[in-house]
Amino acid sequence: RQPQPSGMESGAVTVRTKKFVTNRLLQRKQFVCEVIHPGLAGVSKNDLKEKLAKMYKVADPSCVLLYGFKVAFGGGRSSGFGLIYDSLTAAKKYSPKYLLTRFGMGKAKATARKQRKERKNRMKKVRGIKKSKGS
């Protein structure tokens, strides 16, 4: 069995951007990213991030956020959404919290959703000073 080429090693991977918009208000560039990768199941987002950072001359590749990639039926082509922020502070300021946690820039909520709901419902049953104690 021969080793498969991983990601960008195969020169056949093409990255295109469509619907490119410069959003000055949110200090970012936003676009639909189309990746053509014949013979590969998919391309890692880190490889794409580095390639896009080089394409658009971005100093810090962590300012490039890629998400929502779907492989087209039949394979060989994927498309998703990309954002290139002017700076890391702009990314932290304007990106949704869930995306920041996904990219390792924010912190996840401490407790599980189910635990929070159970606690809320327990609080409904007590009155007065007991509520502040928490249970």
Side-chain angles (χ1 to χ4, degrees), residues 49-114:
K49 188 185 284 195
E50 287 167 16
K51 194 159 188 173
L52 282 166
K54 202 179 291 176
M55 260 169 67
Y56 290 103
K57 299 176 179 73
V58 180
D60 188 7
S62 60
C63 291
V64 180
L65 307 182
L66 300 170
Y67 59 94
F69 277 83
K70 298 256 191 304
V71 180
F73 180 73
R77 188 190 299 129
S78 304
S79 64
F81 200 70
L83 304 169
I84 299 175
Y85 282 94
D86 294 349
S87 65
L88 211 55
T89 53
K92 287 182 178 177
K93 186 175 180 183
Y94 296 116
S95 277
K97 296 267 188 292
Y98 78 95
L99 278 182
L100 290 176
T101 55
R102 193 183 289 180
F103 296 117
M105 288 188 237
K107 59 178 176 25
K109 289 187 176 174
T111 55
R113 180 181 165 95
K114 184 158 185 163

